[in-house]
Amino acid sequence: MAAIKPEEISHPPMDQLQGLEYCIDSNPSWAETIALGFQHYILALGTAVMIPSFLVPVMGGSDDDKVRVVQTLLFVEGINTLLQTLFGTRLPTVIGGSYAFMVPIISIIRDPSFAMIEDPHLRFLSTMRAVQGALIVASSIQIILGFSQIWAICSRFFSPLGMVPVIALVGFGLFDRGFLVVGTCVEIGIPMLILFIAFSQYLKNFQIKQVPILERFALLISTTVIWAYAHLLTASGAYKHRPDLTQHSCRTDRANLISSAPWIKIPYPLEWGAPTFDAGHAFGMMAAVLVSLVESTGAYKAASRLASATPPPAHVLSRGVGWQGIGILLNGLFGTLTGSTVSVENVGLLGSNRIGSRRVIQVSAGFMIFFSMLGKFGALFASIPFPMFAAVYCVLFGIVASVGLSFLQFTNMNSMRNLFICGVSLFLGLSIPEYFREYTIRAFHGPAHTNAGWFNDFLNTIFFSSPTVALIVAVFLDNTLDYKDSAKDRGMPWWAKFRTFKGDSRNEEFYTLPFNLNRFFPPS
């Protein structure tokens, strides 16, 4: 038997991910682009509906209030996505709502000054204005860190090894949004999961006019089929005698979005009234802004790879953070009840359908803005049961996590130092937030429970986030443990050329600002 050559058992590291149909600056036909953009819009609806559906009733809001918040959130998501793809990182990323803001927002909801208000609608408005004020103040963190290039300086301490657990946990850290939600209605969740995997992977070579229809539009096709199936189950009375939780998860008519939505409604700033400002609320919200910053950094790295681009240079990453801060400011002004971050599920969809085109994401932003103003039509799509979204998340979050693991190819994983840093960061990134979640469920408050509410919110928010814990542990260990003699093992020689805009000729192709704006904002 002939000796096996080294190249037959190893794969050389690759700067750009291969196998995509369209990369960041190449575009499908306009018909395909519109259909793909609509697919990203449908996917973005999951988070846009879930967050208000949970928070608005707790605040005392009605179904009408919930619909208005969903519409406003989608409207601002569309604006923020356009801003980010035009002037921010320019990566094909949807900027959506963030679960990181839930801890400080729930803390504001529980503030005794609001809880004592007897009129539910007045309590809702008062709480909303307080959340708006906190978001407006906290947005300054990302605006300052981004546009001052401070985050670019901080990113110089990041290595491929340090980014592995951060990017991986951007996906893995959302495991509680996956099968745990699918399990609330397995009769539609599991068929959705099976159908989506079958279309996107096993039947991906099925083509019509040389277009892999099933792979490219797997989400749209499987959603249409399972949504119709769910509606059939609802109409046939299959859930009449089931528990309320099952009915809420499975039925297609329980969201009360369509009946409550106006035909036409254009969101506008300060429509809930003048924001109110409280230092404690704002300080707690700043922690959520920092978490959003970390999670988005990991998501930007993943998106660049799934769009077949080079890693974003430090100043481009910082520029994107600055525009994301502007996005959170808009969240506060409009009253979306959450801040902004990169939509992880939409990043995963880039890899699932192998379309990394920036134009597709910009078209999806147009759909968000358009359907947020046409209330009835937007509410129709937003009435898709949550377990259907969760089934798709099981795949898409996993893709993003695997992109993080792929950065190991640039490091030496025969090094005990690297094995230690990677393993400990991943484990603590999962274990510490899980401890905080379990503690909160049992005690109805986080482990940080002092008389200073702002301090509690800050610590609990930081340690609820898996990517943030992973970043703290990984970057600290990577820059303190035998770091002088381990640059090659950490992957720094490969990473170095992507740190500056002129370090690699491809950066200009991917990240140059439109309308010749680089004349006024020269890259560093």
Side-chain angles (χ1 to χ4, degrees):
M1 183 178 176
I4 298 176
K5 299 177 182 178
E7 58 267 23
E8 293 177 343
I9 59 173
S10 64
H11 304 277
M14 305 191 76
D15 293 343
Q16 294 172 261
L17 191 65
Q18 304 299 304
L20 272 77
E21 293 289 329
Y22 295 94
C23 67
I24 186 171
D25 53 1
S26 59
N27 303 304
S29 67
W30 271 109
E32 284 186 73
T33 297
I34 291 170
L36 290 163
F38 183 71
Q39 189 168 237
H40 275 277
Y41 159 73
I42 291 293
L43 185 60
L45 283 173
T47 300
V49 176
M50 284 182 193
I51 293 177
S53 294
F54 175 77
L55 292 176
V56 171
V58 181
M59 295 164 61
S62 63
D63 287 336
D64 290 347
D65 295 322
K66 181 171 69 175
V67 168
R68 287 176 64 193
V69 174
V70 170
Q71 286 181 274
T72 304
L73 178 53
L74 279 172
F75 183 80
V76 176
E77 279 185 13
I79 294 173
N80 288 341
T81 300
L82 284 177
L83 291 175
Q84 191 63 236
T85 54
L86 285 172
F87 308 116
T89 60
R90 306 216 70 214
L91 288 165
T93 50
V94 170
I95 305 301
S98 171
Y99 290 98
F101 292 81
M102 296 283 274
V103 173
I105 289 175
I106 290 173
S107 178
I108 293 173
I109 293 171
R110 290 178 175 173
D111 190 305
S113 62
F114 302 127
M116 64 187 297
I117 300 175
E118 294 183 1
D119 185 325
H121 187 64
L122 183 58
R123 185 168 77 251
F124 167 77
L125 290 177
S126 300
T127 310
M128 171 64 85
R129 292 166 187 164
V131 171
Q132 286 183 262
L135 284 170
I136 290 170
V137 174
S139 66
S140 61
I141 297 292
Q142 282 196 16
I143 292 173
I144 293 171
L145 289 177
F147 290 127
S148 68
Q149 293 294 308
I150 293 175
W151 191 241
I153 296 171
C154 294
S155 69
R156 295 181 185 278
F157 294 96
F158 304 161
S159 70
L161 179 67
M163 283 292 100
V164 167
V166 178
I167 303 171
L169 291 184
V170 164
F172 287 146
L174 295 169
F175 67 89
D176 57 337
R177 313 270 186 266
F179 206 84
L180 288 175
V181 181
V182 172
T184 61
C185 188
V186 292
E187 48 266 69
I188 61 173
I190 291 180
M192 181 71 183
L193 177 60
I194 293 172
L195 208 59
F196 182 71
I197 292 175
F199 286 157
S200 64
Q201 302 301 318
Y202 288 96
L203 301 174
K204 62 184 177 184
N205 294 321
F206 177 82
Q207 296 187 351
I208 296 177
K209 294 184 178 180
Q210 297 184 327
V211 176
I213 294 291
L214 294 182
E215 178 195 36
R216 201 161 289 181
F217 303 104
L219 177 65
L220 275 182
I221 297 170
S222 54
T223 298
T224 302
V225 172
I226 302 301
W227 194 15
Y229 167 61
H231 187 72
L232 183 64
L233 288 176
T234 301
S236 65
Y239 304 114
K240 273 186 178 179
H241 305 293
R242 301 291 294 276
D244 285 344
L245 179 61
T246 302
Q247 293 201 35
H248 182 76
S249 299
C250 299
R251 294 182 69 98
T252 56
D253 59 357
R254 287 296 289 255
N256 295 326
L257 292 174
I258 300 175
S259 59
S260 302
W263 281 104
I264 297 177
K265 176 74 168 65
I266 301 176
Y268 56 92
L270 307 182
E271 66 175 298
W272 308 104
T276 57
F277 299 92
D278 180 275
H281 295 163
F283 198 83
M285 198 68 76
M286 287 178 185
V289 170
L290 290 173
V291 168
S292 165
L293 166 64
V294 172
E295 293 177 351
S296 293
T297 297
Y300 286 135
K301 300 282 188 185
S304 66
R305 194 139 184 85
L306 290 173
S308 196
T310 53
H315 95 278
V316 170
L317 188 64
S318 198
R319 185 177 74 196
V321 166
W323 279 103
Q324 191 168 296
I326 296 290
I328 296 174
L329 176 62
L330 292 176
N331 287 131
L333 290 173
F334 279 83
T336 61
L337 211 52
T338 184
S340 293
T341 193
V342 175
S343 174
V344 179
E345 55 267 33
N346 288 87
V347 173
L349 188 58
L350 301 177
S352 175
N353 61 19
R354 298 189 298 137
I355 305 291
S357 169
R358 182 191 296 125
R359 181 182 290 172
V360 168
I361 301 301
Q362 291 170 337
V363 168
S364 76
F367 277 116
M368 293 177 202
I369 295 171
F370 179 72
F371 282 116
S372 68
M373 294 187 289
L374 295 180
K376 293 289 185 186
F377 293 100
L380 172 66
F381 300 121
S383 64
I384 298 171
F386 291 153
M388 290 176 58
F389 289 111
V392 179
Y393 293 167
C394 292
V395 176
L396 303 183
F397 291 162
I399 290 174
V400 173
S402 65
V403 171
L405 298 178
S406 75
F407 276 79
L408 290 173
Q409 68 184 300
F410 307 112
T411 68
N412 176 17
M413 291 313 290
N414 290 313
S415 160
M416 279 305 302
R417 171 193 181 275
N418 286 5
L419 290 173
F420 172 81
I421 292 173
C422 186
V424 171
S425 303
L426 281 169
F427 188 85
L428 290 181
L430 285 170
S431 187
I432 291 177
E434 184 62 18
Y435 163 72
F436 271 70
R437 276 190 288 268
E438 289 294 325
Y439 190 104
T440 302
I441 291 171
R442 290 195 309 269
F444 299 104
H445 59 75
H449 187 58
T450 66
N451 291 329
W454 59 268
F455 179 77
N456 302 336
D457 293 344
F458 195 90
L459 280 188
N460 291 331
T461 302
I462 292 291
F463 290 105
F464 254 85
S465 166
S466 290
T468 307
V469 173
L471 181 85
I472 294 170
V473 176
V475 172
F476 175 78
L477 292 176
D478 195 32
N479 287 278
T480 58
L481 187 62
D482 301 331
Y483 69 96
K484 290 184 179 179
D485 303 318
S486 58
K488 185 177 179 181
D489 287 348
R490 298 164 64 201
M492 295 307 287
W494 172 79
W495 194 259
K497 62 182 178 181
F498 301 116
R499 282 182 162 184
T500 60
F501 191 81
K502 297 180 180 179
D504 190 282
S505 59
R506 292 167 291 183
N507 290 339
E508 185 174 353
E509 174 189 355
F510 300 136
Y511 300 113
T512 299
L513 290 171
F515 315 124
N516 210 15
L517 290 174
N518 276 65
R519 292 182 303 168
F520 308 105
F521 305 100
S524 55

